[in-house]
């Protein structure tokens, strides 16, 4: 129905209600026999009230509301409109006729008008909610975990969207005072202990956790219970990610692996520690990668004098440049396409821009690929790092932060060994340089390129199988923002020569991760989606370590960040071994592995 037709019908209905309320008020006042002296008053009162009340209803926008979504705001608008209309009509009749409308007529008219206008508006909402809005065969049945404000808003929006994929059929909440109550005519049942029973009994397709204030640990505990059911699982965004009062269906997201880690994210006070980049020339190598690009995003707000984005891939550098320019239009940016293996080019960059703070994120990181291409790993991770670090030293950079990995500890891979040598290079340089050189050691970064989680998700989307190398393989995990915050924090704590490590909580079994992802996608592991064990790949090990035996473990000002003590290295000996390593890159892989073993005695050459 068009707006014009709908408006005409509503106006005619309201005029009828006005006349009905006035006439019935006079009839009741005079017991069905209205004196002739009051007939003209009643007619005038009806005409005036019709005009005034239609005006007040337009003024309070009663004709511009979608009544299927009506709430207390609409009730208040009706009250204001009727009150203003009745008072104004009473006063105008008194002015025109010099006779008062009987008070009993006024009150009955007011009462009837208020009730009938409200009933006419809310009748459609009642009929729609109770009889029209029913789950269609294509809609999935949803259980909302959390019967608070957020859960109620999610349920209301689902009910108000007939084309929504989900239809709410039940609430659950651990708060016993809410049990056996109804929200939007949806029952609130028991707490999490009964969740598997309710899901099975009510044939629930999806569970929505609608408590945005939950900590990561509490969320993980609820997810553990949900994993025992056949239902898919979704979350609303965390509280800090929501815009107040704007929770919508579109903001419900699938459960991500970081929700399963069982720990709260590391929060670093960047406002307090990032002032060392303010008004400084900051260089980020590998700026197009997962870590490098996030570094650029988090450094941007702290107003560096200039942010230099250096990378080898033009597309990735272009993308992060466009993003940073859009977010921080006033920030001076320089984009440089360069290979860190090109010593002359790197020194040219340092000579031109004189960066004061350097974050070195450029590296080859894929373990199996580097096992097959060890010379390239050495050229990039070892000598590329050497080129950038020596340029930082020569051109007077204040701080240099190397992105390292837990695979550098007692390495079993070419990649891990080259990163360990990179750490040795900056620790050796730190002994003679005015630049503060430090390294930051990461575990596995969720969502980074080539990480296991996106790979698992693709395999699940294709129907499986999900491939895991070994049933006992475990890994530490962290999010990209956490990793980058640690990098920036390390730059503030740097005294020179340290290796900083993040407390990443308990390590996670990879096979458990795969099983959880399959369950949370609505499938049963080993039944709907197979898990195949393919055997450990070259260079892999079952578990990662964070510190070598000789480094020890020290504390920092941050209770989740630890520091390994600088090692005693012989710079001349290291330089001599690096020259030999450079020569063997032209030889066969066995010679390369033997030289790496000599430089890093803890390297377990498993190939």
């Amino acid at each position: 129905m068009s707006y014009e037709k709908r408006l005409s019908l509503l106006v005619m209905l309201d005029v009828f209600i006005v006349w009905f309320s006035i006439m019935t008020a006079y009839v009741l006042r005079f017991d069905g026999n209205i004196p002739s002296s009051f007939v003209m008053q009643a007619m005038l009162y009806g005409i005036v009230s019709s005009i005034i009340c239609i005006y007040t209803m337009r003024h309070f926008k009663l004709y511009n509301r979608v009544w299927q979504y009506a709430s207390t705001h609409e009730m208040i608008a009706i009250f204001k409109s009727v009150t203003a209309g009745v008072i104004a009509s009473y006063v105008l009749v008194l002015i025109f006729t010099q006779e008062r409308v009987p008070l009993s007529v006024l009150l009955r008219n007011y009462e009837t008008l208020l009730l009938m206008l409200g009933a006419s508006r809310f009748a459609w909402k009642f009929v729609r909610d109770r009889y029209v809005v029913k789950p269609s065969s294509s809609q999935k049945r949803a259980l909302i975990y959390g019967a608070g404000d957020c859960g109620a808003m999610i349920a209301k929006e689902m009910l108000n969207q007939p084309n929504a994929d989900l239809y709410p059929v039940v609430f659950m909440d651990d708060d016993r005072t809410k049990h056996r109550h109804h929200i939007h005519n949806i029952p609130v049942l028991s707490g999490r202990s009964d969740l598997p029973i309710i899901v099975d009994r009510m044939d629930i397709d999806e569970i929505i956790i609608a408590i945005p204030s939950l900590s990561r640990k509490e969320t993980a505990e609820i997810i553990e219970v949900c994993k025992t059911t056949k239902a898919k699982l979704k979350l609303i965004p965390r509280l800090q990610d929501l815009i107040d009062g704007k929770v919508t269906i579109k903001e419900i997201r699938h459960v991500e692996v970081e929700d399963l880690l069982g720990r709260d994210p590391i929060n670093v006070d960047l406002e307090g520690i990032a002032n060392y980049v303010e008004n400084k020339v900051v260089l980020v190598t590998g700026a197009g990668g997962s870590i490098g690009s996030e570094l650029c995003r988090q450094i941007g707000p702290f107003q560096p004098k200039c942010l230099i984005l250096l990378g080898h891939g033009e597309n990735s550098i272009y993308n992060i440049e466009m993003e940073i320019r859009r977010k921080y239009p006033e920030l001076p940016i320089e984009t440089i396409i360069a290979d860190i293996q090109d010593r002359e080019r790197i020194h040219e960059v340092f000579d031109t821009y004189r960066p004061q703070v350097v974050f070195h994120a450029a590296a080859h990181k894929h373990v199996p690929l580097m096992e097959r291409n060890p010379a390239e790993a050495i050229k990039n991770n070892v000598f590329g790092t050497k080129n950038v670090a020596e340029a930082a030293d020569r051109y007077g950079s204040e701080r240099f932060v190397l992105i390292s990995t837990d695979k550098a500890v007692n390495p079993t891979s070419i990649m891990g060994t080259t990163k360990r040598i990179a750490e040795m290079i900056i620790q050796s340089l730190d002994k003679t340089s005015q630049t503060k050189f430090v390294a930051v050691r990461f575990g596995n970064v969720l969502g980074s390129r080539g990480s296991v989680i996106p790979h698992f998700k693709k395999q699940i989307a294709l129907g499986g199988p999900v491939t895991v190398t070994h049933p006992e393989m475990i890994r530490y995990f962290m999010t990209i923002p956490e990793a980058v915050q640690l990098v920036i924090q390390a730059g503030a704590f740097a005294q020179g020569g340290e290796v900083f490590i993040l407390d990443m909580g308990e390590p996670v079994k990879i096979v458990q991760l795969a099983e959880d992802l399959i369950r949370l996608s609505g499938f049963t592991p080993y039944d709907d989606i197979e898990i195949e064990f393919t055997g450990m790949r070259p260079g892999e090990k079952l578990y990662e370590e964070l510190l070598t035996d000789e480094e020890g473990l020290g504390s920092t000002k941050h209770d989740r960040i630890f520091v390994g003590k600088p090692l005693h290295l012989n710079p001349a000996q290291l330089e001599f071994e690096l020259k030999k390593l450079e020569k063997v890159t032209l030889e066969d892989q066995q010679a390369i592995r033997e030289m790496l073993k000599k430089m890093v005695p803890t390297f377990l050459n498993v190939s």
Side-chain angles (χ1 to χ4, degrees):
M1 183 184 297
S2 67
Y3 172 77
E4 289 77 13
K5 288 183 178 180
R6 177 175 169 274
L7 177 61
S8 299
L9 287 174
L10 277 175
V11 169
M12 286 190 290
L13 175 63
D14 291 340
V15 169
F16 170 78
I17 291 173
V18 169
W19 279 95
F20 178 84
S21 64
I22 290 173
M23 290 301 112
T24 53
Y26 275 98
V27 168
L28 291 172
R29 167 66 177 79
F30 297 105
D31 296 322
N33 187 20
I34 305 175
S36 59
S37 60
F38 281 94
V39 171
M40 289 303 296
Q41 185 191 70
M43 296 300 292
L44 180 62
Y45 189 31
I47 293 170
V48 171
S49 290
S50 297
I51 296 171
I52 296 298
C53 286
I54 295 302
Y55 173 78
T56 58
M57 283 186 271
R58 287 186 69 92
H59 177 75
F60 289 102
K61 296 181 172 56
L62 294 190
Y63 297 122
N64 300 92
R65 297 175 185 265
V66 183
W67 290 96
Q68 68 191 54
Y69 302 143
S71 63
T72 53
H73 296 291
E74 282 67 34
M75 293 175 66
I76 293 170
I78 291 172
F79 173 77
K80 290 179 178 178
S81 172
V82 171
T83 302
V86 169
I87 292 174
S89 301
Y90 177 81
V91 172
L92 286 173
V93 170
L94 178 61
I95 292 172
F96 290 149
T97 65
Q98 300 300 312
E99 293 182 4
R100 290 189 303 108
V101 173
L103 187 60
S104 60
V105 170
L106 178 73
L107 293 176
R108 284 196 179 98
N109 171 41
Y110 178 72
E111 181 182 274
T112 306
L113 195 58
L114 195 62
L115 289 173
M116 291 189 69
L117 279 176
S120 68
R121 264 47 177 192
F122 282 87
W124 166 239
K125 175 177 172 61
F126 174 78
V127 171
R128 181 183 180 277
D129 290 348
R130 192 165 187 86
Y131 300 107
V132 177
V133 181
K134 294 292 181 183
S136 67
S137 57
S138 62
Q139 286 182 304
K140 296 177 181 177
R141 297 167 63 84
L143 180 153
I144 300 176
Y145 190 91
D149 292 340
C150 184
M153 292 171 70
I154 292 292
K156 181 179 179 181
E157 187 157 350
M158 285 181 182
L159 293 170
N160 287 333
Q161 293 188 15
N163 296 324
D165 294 332
L166 299 175
Y167 183 86
V169 296
V170 66
F171 280 99
M172 295 192 74
D173 200 294
D174 289 330
D175 185 351
R176 292 178 178 273
T177 62
K178 297 177 181 178
H179 296 173
R180 299 187 181 182
H181 288 73
H182 285 70
I183 299 174
H184 302 307
N185 207 34
I186 301 169
V188 182
L189 301 183
S190 55
R192 76 182 70 170
S193 58
D194 294 329
L195 195 144
I197 299 171
I198 300 299
V199 167
D200 186 57
R201 190 175 73 197
M202 303 193 72
D203 198 24
I204 299 298
D205 297 301
E206 296 200 13
I207 301 168
I208 300 171
I209 299 178
I211 313 177
S213 59
L214 281 179
S215 68
R216 191 78 75 186
K217 183 178 180 182
E218 291 171 317
T219 301
E221 290 172 355
I222 296 173
I223 290 173
E224 281 298 314
V225 180
C226 295
K227 278 159 42 179
T228 63
T229 72
K230 62 179 177 58
K232 289 185 180 181
L233 183 58
K234 290 182 178 179
L235 296 172
I236 66 153
R238 291 174 58 78
L239 194 58
Q240 58 265 34
D241 300 327
L242 289 173
I243 300 175
D244 291 341
K246 293 188 178 179
V247 179
T248 69
I249 295 295
K250 294 179 181 177
E251 289 170 319
I252 299 175
R253 63 175 176 84
H254 291 283
V255 174
E256 300 293 345
V257 177
E258 44 264 51
D259 298 311
L260 305 173
L261 298 184
R263 64 170 174 83
D264 291 327
I266 306 299
N267 290 314
V268 177
D269 179 20
L270 293 183
E271 292 286 348
I273 56 107
N275 57 349
Y276 69 90
V277 303
E278 186 176 353
N279 204 32
K280 299 290 178 69
V281 179
V282 180
L283 168 65
V284 179
T285 70
S290 305
I291 298 296
S293 59
E294 182 67 19
L295 269 167
C296 296
R297 294 183 192 101
Q298 294 202 26
I299 291 169
F302 296 104
Q303 301 176 326
K305 184 178 181 180
C306 180
L307 180 60
I308 304 171
L309 283 60
L310 186 149
H312 194 211
E314 59 174 314
N315 290 332
S316 57
I317 290 295
Y318 174 79
N319 289 337
I320 187 61
E321 177 192 11
M322 291 299 100
E323 180 182 340
I324 297 299
R325 288 193 188 280
R326 185 175 64 253
K327 288 183 177 179
Y328 312 108
E330 303 300 320
L331 175 63
I333 295 174
E334 293 291 340
T335 50
I336 297 172
I337 303 300
D339 190 337
I340 60 172
Q341 298 178 39
D342 187 341
R343 179 181 175 84
E344 290 185 6
R345 173 67 169 139
I346 293 302
H347 279 255
E348 177 190 333
V349 171
F350 273 78
D351 186 31
T352 302
Y353 296 101
R354 303 287 172 143
Q356 294 154 289
V357 180
V358 179
F359 294 100
H360 181 46
H364 287 331
K365 66 177 184 177
H366 294 281
V367 171
L369 273 176
M370 293 307 101
E371 290 302 305
R372 297 193 294 272
N373 302 276
E376 294 305 313
I378 292 169
K379 290 175 189 176
N380 203 68
N381 295 357
V382 175
F383 294 106
T385 298
K386 187 171 185 287
N387 290 339
V388 180
E390 287 179 345
D393 172 43
R394 177 176 175 181
Y395 293 97
S397 298
E398 297 172 7
R399 301 169 196 255
F400 181 102
V401 182
L402 166 70
I403 311 302
S404 190
T405 170
D406 54 5
K407 293 176 176 61
V409 182
N410 300 324
T412 59
S413 66
I414 295 291
M415 192 279 282
T417 307
T418 56
K419 295 297 283 186
R420 180 71 191 109
I421 296 173
E423 291 179 355
M424 293 162 60
I425 289 170
I426 65 148
Q427 287 181 317
S428 174
L429 267 174
D430 183 75
K431 295 180 183 299
T432 58
S433 176
Q434 295 299 310
T435 304
K436 294 178 179 179
F437 288 91
V438 296
V440 185
R441 226 171 252 167
F442 297 152
N444 292 268
V445 181
L446 292 170
S448 63
R449 294 178 188 171
S451 63
V452 68
I453 307 309
H455 180 61
F456 283 169
K457 288 182 176 179
K458 288 179 182 177
Q459 290 180 324
I460 293 169
L462 293 171
V466 173
T467 55
V468 178
T469 55
H470 193 285
E472 297 301 320
M473 184 166 285
I474 61 174
R475 289 291 183 267
Y476 292 97
F477 285 97
M478 63 192 305
T479 65
I480 292 176
E482 282 179 326
V484 167
Q485 287 181 19
L486 175 60
V487 174
I488 298 174
Q489 179 86 74
F493 287 164
Q495 296 299 314
E498 305 98 330
V499 177
F500 290 95
I501 300 104
L502 172 67
D503 175 9
M504 291 175 283
E506 295 298 317
V508 179
K509 264 193 173 184
I510 300 298
V511 67
Q512 183 68 45
L513 213 55
E515 290 171 353
D516 290 346
L517 278 173
I518 292 170
R519 287 193 189 96
L520 297 174
S521 299
F523 302 105
T524 304
Y526 309 105
D527 186 6
D528 300 323
I529 301 286
E530 284 292 334
I531 295 179
E532 291 184 359
F533 297 102
T534 58
M536 291 174 60
R537 298 175 297 180
E540 282 190 327
K541 53 184 176 180
L542 287 179
Y543 61 94
E544 303 292 359
E545 303 158 274
L546 297 174
L547 284 167
T548 62
D549 292 337
E550 63 268 28
E551 284 175 321
L553 188 66
S555 61
T556 67
K557 295 177 183 178
H558 195 286
D559 61 359
R560 302 290 290 274
I561 298 175
F562 300 95
V563 58
K565 298 171 185 175
L567 299 179
H568 299 289
L569 298 168
N570 185 328
Q573 178 68 23
L574 178 61
E575 185 64 29
F576 176 72
E577 290 178 343
L578 286 170
K579 290 184 183 300
K580 292 177 67 176
L581 180 63
E582 189 171 15
K583 290 180 180 178
V584 300
T585 56
L586 302 175
E587 301 180 23
D588 60 34
Q589 290 199 15
Q590 188 57 38
I592 292 174
R593 292 178 184 278
E594 288 175 1
M595 189 60 210
L596 290 175
K597 175 71 174 176
K598 183 176 181 182
M599 293 186 70
V600 183
T602 56
F603 172 36
L604 179 59
N605 191 349
V606 296
S607 297

